[in-house]
Amino acid sequence: MNTTKFCTKCGKELPMDAEFCQFCGAKQSSVENLKQTASNTDIADDTKPGKEIIFEQDNSSTNVLEKKSKFKKYWWIYVLVGIVIAFISFSLLGPSSPTDVASDVEESLKNDNSLDVTSVKPDKESGTIIVHVKEKKAIDDLYMGKTSTFKTVERTLLDLSKKYKDEDSNGYDLSYIQLMKPGTNDMILLSVDKGKIKYSALDDME
């Protein structure tokens, strides 16, 4: 059994039960707080005179308790942040509204620049998206028997219809889009649903 130890400040050899160093006067740690993890030779090598031994305190348990305390204190903030994130996720990934689809259709047709769009609105009575336009190139060409520009409009509306083919909202079939003849409310030039053409004015020209 070891009968000596080394001063934690100056490194001089002391009796195991010494409370103070007889050389430098430094207070010594009790035996119970010291963990003997090496042989006397290793200790002697690591405690040369003038070298200070530093004992590190394990603060892991204290840190865990502090984190738990902070969580309990600010739990409502974490809950609020979670609710906000869930709401944003639902808004981005949730079903589209008829108004959203109408806006998408209007923007897409205007980007095509083939039609002079006057309004795109969800129609409550039919449960479809109704597109109203003025006379412009695609319509003029159609009346003159030129179909290429109108076919561009067909492709645009077909892509939009396919995009919303699995979505219904408040009685609306969001993939059902109807293009009305300029100046009318009941004459259809083009009707698409579920990504397919239900009616096209081009059919009457063939």
Side-chain angles (χ1 to χ4, degrees):
M1 182 177 179
N2 295 332
T3 59
T4 61
K5 61 182 179 180
F6 296 89
C7 176
T8 59
K9 185 173 183 180
C10 68
K12 296 292 182 65
E13 189 173 4
L14 303 173
M16 185 61 73
D17 58 353
E19 294 185 11
F20 295 91
C21 177
Q22 63 191 37
F23 300 100
C24 67
K27 182 174 176 61
Q28 306 299 301
S29 301
S30 62
V31 178
E32 291 77 6
N33 291 338
L34 296 174
K35 294 182 179 180
Q36 299 296 326
T37 57
S39 64
N40 288 339
T41 303
D42 293 335
I43 295 176
D45 289 340
D46 292 337
T47 54
K48 295 177 181 179
K51 183 176 182 179
E52 183 177 356
I53 298 177
I54 301 175
F55 296 93
E56 295 183 358
Q57 182 180 359
D58 184 7
N59 294 324
S60 59
S61 59
T62 304
N63 292 337
V64 171
L65 291 175
E66 289 178 354
K67 289 178 180 179
K68 287 183 177 179
S69 177
K70 288 181 179 179
F71 179 80
K72 288 181 179 179
K73 186 175 181 181
Y74 299 108
W75 66 269
W76 61 273
I77 295 179
Y78 296 107
V79 172
L80 183 61
V81 170
I83 292 173
V84 171
I85 292 174
F87 177 78
I88 293 174
S89 299
F90 180 79
S91 299
L92 294 176
L93 302 177
S96 305
S97 70
T99 304
D100 292 335
V101 176
S103 297
D104 191 10
V105 172
E106 183 172 3
E107 183 177 354
S108 298
L109 289 175
K110 286 183 176 180
N111 288 337
D112 259 353
N113 201 33
S114 299
L115 295 174
D116 188 355
V117 180
T118 57
S119 70
V120 181
K121 296 180 181 179
D123 181 62
K124 189 173 183 180
E125 184 177 345
S126 62
T128 65
I129 307 299
I130 302 294
V131 181
H132 287 282
V133 297
K134 293 180 181 179
E135 299 279 356
K136 203 180 177 181
K137 183 173 178 54
I139 308 298
D140 292 341
D141 285 354
L142 179 64
Y143 294 154
M144 295 175 64
K146 299 177 183 179
T147 62
S148 58
T149 310
F150 194 79
K151 284 182 177 179
T152 300
V153 176
E154 277 188 346
R155 285 194 296 270
T156 299
L157 291 184
L158 279 172
D159 289 341
L160 288 164
S161 179
K162 189 180 296 183
K163 178 179 178 180
Y164 297 106
K165 70 176 183 177
D166 297 322
E167 294 193 38
D168 295 314
S169 176
N170 299 324
Y172 286 92
D173 179 354
L174 299 182
S175 72
Y176 200 159
I177 306 169
Q178 298 187 84
L179 172 62
M180 311 307 293
K181 184 176 181 180
T184 70
N185 291 317
D186 55 359
M187 296 184 67
I188 300 171
L189 287 178
L190 179 63
S191 177
V192 295
D193 188 25
K194 309 298 183 191
K196 296 181 179 180
I197 294 176
K198 292 177 68 70
Y199 169 75
S200 174
L202 292 178
D203 297 336
D204 297 334
M205 301 178 64
E206 294 178 352

